[in-house]
Amino acid sequence: MSATATPMDTTSPFGTYPAEGLVRFAWALADRHDLSKGLRKRIRSFVGRVFKGPYDTEADGLKFRIYPAQNYDDRKILAKGRLPEKAEHKLLKPYLTAGTVFVDVGANIGSYSLFAASCGAEVLAVEANPETAAKLAFNLKANGLTSVKLAEVAIGDKEGTLSLWSEPSNCGFATLVEDLTTGEWAGDWSPKEVSVRPLADVVAEAGLGRIDVLKVDVEGFEDRVVLPFLKATDRGQWPRVIMLETNCRPHWAEDCTSRLEALGYRAAGSTNDNTVFELPA
């Protein structure tokens, strides 16, 4: 699916690009899982050429400017009319009360960050892809969430630069792990150099004294986000809750789930793609 001609508009007011009925119908058809995978892929390719976006829409009371030809989360929002991570949000919601400090590493277009902010949490959204970060910034502004902090940086074990690989049909599935771009997820990947900093430094710069809930979704680089942070901070500053994407765990350099359990975290719930770990009081 090519999305090279899709314009990005982060200046026009929300509502400039209404998602009309035909657009919603087309993307709902492209998302029908009762169709064969091959047929669904062909439909999605056609719909992506005709209905690239951008479109302005609401999901679960939150406003998004979306580009469905470019991103999985955008397609799901348009096809389903709701946020894509329903099961994950259900697991996190009991921890997201007023004043909770929520750090979202791999924030994409903001479905987690906006959800957490709507629950009253203080949010730091971290997104390494410059184009995706610009879209996220627009979505934050459209929802009046001026208090949400945004860090446009990748997180790793040390400061420097790395190649961030992205694929034009799913820019939210960007990775610092080059090996992930072959095999199961082979596609039209291309790299760009991005700045990398340890999470502890980014959190301190944002003026946060603690993290209550940490969500990490960085396509096979989760271990290099979480474990160096825990090593660099006192146990009393560790997040009470960590949601970790686990569907790319074969690409980890270290088994993050085993290390978390060895450090005292316990699995408190899981979905197909993510596990929530909680540190007992």
Side-chain angles (χ1 to χ4, degrees), residues 33-47:
H33 284 256
D34 58 335
L35 303 175
S36 70
K37 185 176 181 180
L39 177 57
R40 191 166 67 248
K41 184 177 181 180
R42 290 194 295 274
I43 293 173
R44 190 168 67 242
S45 178
F46 173 77
V47 172

Side-chain angles (χ1 to χ4, degrees), residues 142-246:
N143 287 275
L145 297 173
T146 56
S147 63
V148 173
K149 298 179 174 69
L150 174 58
E152 186 183 313
V153 66
I155 303 297
D157 60 347
K158 59 186 177 181
E159 188 165 351
T161 60
L162 286 173
S163 293
L164 180 71
W165 292 82
S166 60
E167 205 278 335
S169 70
N170 191 6
C171 61
F173 193 68
T175 182
L176 295 168
V177 183
E178 185 176 357
D179 288 349
L180 189 142
T181 65
T182 62
E184 179 183 357
W185 286 296
D188 187 19
W189 295 86
S190 59
K192 67 182 70 175
E193 291 296 300
V194 295
S195 297
V196 181
R197 298 181 66 196
L199 181 57
D201 292 352
V202 175
V203 168
E205 187 174 281
L208 301 181
R210 69 182 194 281
I211 302 176
D212 297 314
V213 181
L214 172 64
K215 168 259 181 183
V216 185
D217 176 353
V218 286
E219 325 308 344
F221 213 68
E222 290 80 11
D223 58 315
R224 281 150 284 190
V225 172
V226 174
L227 298 181
F229 176 77
L230 298 180
K231 292 174 184 176
T233 54
D234 295 332
R235 187 180 182 90
Q237 295 178 295
W238 289 359
R240 178 191 169 201
V241 175
I242 298 175
M243 173 172 276
L244 194 68
E245 186 183 52
T246 54

Side-chain angles (χ1 to χ4, degrees), residues 5 17-18 29 41 45 55 57 70 100 102 126 128 147 185 202 218 256 271:
Y17 305 102
L29 178 64
K41 184 177 181 180
S45 178
Y55 300 110
T57 190
Q70 294 182 340
T100 298
F102 178 78
V126 183
S147 63
W185 286 296
V202 175
V218 286
C256 199
T271 67

